[in-house]
Amino acid sequence: MTTRRVADNSKALDAFIAAKAEIDVMLERLKALSDDHFEFDPDAINWGAVGSLNSVAADLRKITDFLFGEGEHAA
């Protein structure tokens, strides 16, 4: 009979929880900034602001595509 040793994943679990907490803080900050229209003055919106926001959206799309298996990560 082969005895298999159970791995102690407590350090990995602690690291996972810490990373999740860091992500949660970032998401809360992003949501608050979004609620404030990313601090853009509506009267001063120009194509540069649109480009900046589209760049952020593209980066977030890469993240969501990866996490949800969409886009280039689709099965």
Side-chain angles (χ1 to χ4, degrees), residues 40 45-58:
F40 282 101
I45 296 294
N46 58 36
W47 287 108
V50 174
S52 294
L53 213 52
N54 280 332
S55 177
V56 171

Side-chain angles (χ1 to χ4, degrees), residues 1-73:
M1 173 191 289
T2 304
T3 304
R4 186 168 181 184
R5 205 167 118 175
V6 176
D8 178 9
N9 290 331
S10 60
K11 288 182 182 181
L13 179 59
D14 290 344
F16 181 91
I17 291 169
K20 184 196 174 307
E22 183 179 9
I23 290 169
D24 289 344
V25 169
M26 288 186 275
L27 291 172
E28 288 174 15
R29 291 181 67 207
L30 283 171
K31 177 65 172 123
L33 194 61
S34 176
D35 289 346
D36 191 32
H37 298 90
F38 297 95
E39 297 182 347
F40 282 101
D41 176 358
D43 296 326
I45 296 294
N46 58 36
W47 287 108
V50 174
S52 294
L53 213 52
N54 280 332
S55 177
V56 171
D59 289 342
L60 290 172
R61 191 174 306 108
K62 289 177 189 176
I63 294 167
T64 56
D65 283 355
F66 170 73
L67 291 172
F68 293 108
E70 299 169 342
E72 68 180 56
H73 298 281

